[in-house]
Amino acid sequence: MSSASIPAGTPEYRRLMTVLFIGVFMAALDTAIIAPAIPALREAFHIDNRRVGLVMIAFILASLSSTAPLASLGDRYGRRPVYLLSISLFALGSLIIALAPTFWAVVAGRVVQGIGGGGIIPTASAVIADALPPKERGRALGLIGATYGMAFVLGPPLAGVVMVTLSWHWIFLANLPIAAYVLFLGVRALPVQTRSGVLPALDWRGIVVLFLLLASLVASATRVLDDMTGVALWPMTLGAMVVLFPLFLWVEKRAAQPLIPISIFANRQLSLTYFLTLGAGFGMGSVIFLTSIATLAYGVAREHAGFVLLPMVVCSIFGSMGAGRLLNRLGARTLIVSGFALLAVGYGASAFTHFGLWGFLVATMPVGLGVGVVVSGALRTIAIEEAPLAYRGTAQGLINICTSIGTLLAAAAIGAVADFSGHGAAGFSVAYEVVAVLMAVMLLLALGLRKNGAVLKTASA
C-alpha cells in the first residue's frame, strides 16, 4: 500500500491538515463537553448517578474496542475510507443522542460515537505518517496533542454557554455541520492509497476476544457492574482478564492476518514504547483528581475547581506544540525523558499541600507541560519509525489503546490509594506521591529508548 508524500506549504497540505485537525478536534471536544452535560442528562431522563455513568462507560468501551479493528481496516483498505467512516459514525452517534427519546437511546448513541471516535485519531496519525515528509511528521503529531488541549480548554465553557442559551441537545447537534464539512473536504483532500493481492479474511475471532478482554478491563477499573448490581463483581472481571489475555495471544498467533500482530512486540523499542505509553496515559489520567486537592486542601468551591487547572491546561498546549517543533532537533528519547521528569516534579510538588493555593497552581504547570510532551508526537513517531509499513495504522491504534488503558488505571488507582491512605486531602497527597514515583520510574525506563533515533532516521529518509 502506498501514497505520495505531500510537500509542506502546498494547498494540498493545508487541505489535508484541515481535514485531520478538525476531525480530531471534534472528537476531543465532545469528550471534554460531556461532563458538564451529565447533570442535564440526569435531570432530563430522571436517572440516578449510577445509571448516568453509563454515558461515559459506553463511550470508553466502544472507543477502546473499535480502535484496533478500524486501524487494521486502514492498513488493509486504506486510511481514506476508514477516516471518513469514523467521522460518519461519530456524526450518526451525535444525531442519535440529540434525538434520543429515552436514556438507553442516549447510551446507544454514545456507543456509535465511541466506535467512530476510536478510529479518528489513530487513522489521522497514520495518514500523517503516510502522506507527510518525515521532517514534518513530528510537528503535525505534536499539533494533534495541542488540539486535544485546546478542546479541553474550550469544551466546558462552550458546553455551559450552549446549555444556558439553548439546550443540551445542541451540544451534540453542533457536531453535524462540522462532520459534514470534514466529509466534504475529506473526499478531495485525503490521499487515495492502492493495494495489491488478495487479503485474508478479517480476524473476527481476535475482534471478539479483544472486545471481551477490554470489557473486563473497563468493568474492573470502573466498577460499573458493582455499582449497577450492588454486588462486588470485580474479582470475576479480573479473573476473566486472566483467562482472556492468553486466549487473545493464542488467537492472534494463529490468525492469517491478525488484528494485532504479536510479532511486532519482538521489537524491543516498540514494546518499550507501548509500556511508556501506558505510563503517559497514567500521567494524563492522574490529572482528574487534582481538583479534589484544590477543594479539600485549599477550600476552592466545587463549581470553581475546574478553573484552578487552567494554567495547567495552557501549559499542556504549549508543551504539545513545543515538543512537536523540537522533535526532529532533540529526538524522541530526550523529549520523553523530559516529559516524565516534568510529571514527576509536578505531581510530587502537588502532593505537598502546605505550599498554599498559589504554590499548588505553580506545581500544576510542570504537570501540564509534561502531559503535553508525553502525549505529543514523540511516542507516535517511534511507533511510525519502528513498526512495519503494513502495520503502521495498527501501531498507531495501539498507542491509543495503551493511552486509554493507562488513563483508566490512573482513575482507579488514585481513588483506591486515596481511600486506603486516609480521608480528605491527606489521602490524595499520598496518592500523588505514589504517582510521582511512578513517573520517575517511567523516566528511568525511557532511558532505554534508542538515543536520537527519530533524528537519525528522519535525516536519512
Side-chain angles (χ1 to χ4, degrees):
M1 185 179 293
S2 62
S3 60
S5 179
I6 300 176
T10 62
E12 292 82 2
Y13 176 89
R14 289 191 290 270
R15 283 197 296 267
L16 178 63
M17 291 300 99
T18 300
V19 167
L20 297 180
F21 291 132
I22 291 179
V24 169
F25 184 78
M26 178 183 69
L29 185 66
D30 199 78
T31 303
I33 64 178
I34 190 63
I38 289 292
L41 292 172
R42 186 171 54 233
E43 181 179 349
F45 295 102
H46 308 290
I47 52 178
D48 56 23
N49 288 326
R50 289 181 178 180
R51 188 170 295 181
V52 79
L54 290 173
V55 172
M56 300 293 290
I57 301 302
F59 183 89
I60 292 171
L61 179 57
S63 178
L64 271 174
S65 302
S66 67
T67 295
L70 288 173
S72 179
L73 287 174
D75 287 333
R76 292 163 64 94
Y77 302 111
R79 323 290 180 206
R80 184 172 180 262
V82 172
Y83 188 78
L84 297 178
L85 172 64
S86 299
I87 295 291
S88 300
L89 287 172
F90 197 90
L92 176 61
S94 301
L95 181 62
I96 292 172
I97 296 169
L99 302 180
T102 66
F103 174 71
W104 292 110
V106 173
V107 174
R110 287 292 282 173
V111 170
V112 177
Q113 259 195 337
I115 294 172
I120 291 175
I121 297 177
T123 306
S125 301
V127 169
I128 288 172
D130 292 339
L132 267 60
K135 65 180 181 179
E136 295 293 331
R137 291 173 186 165
R139 182 182 178 185
L141 292 171
L143 286 174
I144 283 185
T147 300
Y148 251 91
M150 291 172 58
F152 275 91
V153 171
L154 297 175
L158 281 177
V161 170
V162 170
M163 287 190 291
V164 168
T165 58
L166 298 168
S167 70
W168 65 266
H169 304 80
W170 288 95
I171 290 176
F172 302 99
L173 287 173
N175 291 329
L176 301 183
I178 298 174
Y181 178 72
V182 172
L183 291 172
F184 171 76
L185 193 60
V187 170
R188 301 167 52 204
L190 291 167
V192 178
Q193 295 167 298
T194 59
R195 63 179 180 86
S196 58
V198 178
L199 294 174
L202 194 62
D203 181 18
W204 289 108
R205 291 190 300 176
I207 292 174
V208 172
V209 177
L210 180 63
F211 171 78
L212 294 175
L213 177 61
L214 292 173
S216 300
L217 172 65
V218 171
S220 300
T222 62
R223 304 286 185 91
V224 61
L225 294 179
D226 302 44
D227 291 339
M228 293 181 64
T229 63
V231 179
L233 297 176
W234 64 268
M236 295 177 59
T237 54
L238 281 176
M241 289 174 56
V242 172
V243 173
L244 289 168
F245 182 70
L247 177 61
F248 180 71
L249 296 179
W250 184 83
V251 168
E252 293 304 274
K253 287 179 179 179
R254 286 157 180 78
Q257 185 167 337
L259 183 68
I260 299 176
I262 306 303
S263 59
I264 68 173
F265 295 102
N267 183 319
R268 180 180 175 276
Q269 290 293 299
L270 267 180
S271 296
L272 180 55
T273 296
Y274 291 131
F275 192 81
L276 292 172
T277 304
L278 281 172
F282 198 99
M284 184 170 65
S286 298
V287 167
I288 296 170
F289 290 105
L290 283 176
T291 53
S292 297
I293 293 182
T295 56
L296 295 171
Y298 307 115
V300 177
R302 292 183 182 274
E303 59 269 23
H304 299 147
F307 295 106
V308 172
L309 300 184
L310 283 178
M312 181 202 71
V313 176
V314 172
C315 287
S316 178
I317 295 173
F318 283 109
S320 293
M321 297 178 67
R325 290 180 177 274
L326 293 172
L327 179 59
N328 289 337
R329 186 182 306 171
L330 301 179
R333 178 179 181 268
T334 300
L335 288 177
I336 295 167
V337 169
S338 301
F340 281 120
L342 287 165
L343 287 172
V345 171
Y347 281 130
S350 300
F352 292 97
T353 56
H354 59 274
F355 288 152
L357 180 58
W358 285 104
F360 175 76
L361 293 176
V362 172
T364 64
M365 295 174 73
V367 171
L369 287 171
V371 168
V373 171
V374 298
V375 301
S376 67
L379 290 165
R380 290 189 179 276
T381 298
I382 297 175
I384 288 171
E385 299 291 351
E386 297 290 342
L389 180 61
Y391 296 120
R392 182 173 275 173
T394 299
Q396 292 299 309
L398 281 171
I399 292 285
N400 279 64
I401 291 174
C402 291
T403 302
S404 297
I405 291 175
T407 303
L408 276 175
L409 293 177
I414 292 175
V417 172
D419 289 342
F420 179 79
S421 302
H423 297 289
F428 282 105
S429 292
V430 174
Y432 277 102
E433 289 172 3
V434 173
V435 173
V437 171
L438 288 175
M439 295 300 100
V441 171
M442 290 296 158
L443 183 159
L444 295 175
L445 291 174
L447 295 174
L449 293 171
R450 187 178 295 115
K451 189 174 182 180
N452 289 342
V455 175
L456 294 174
K457 291 196 174 190
T458 300
S460 63

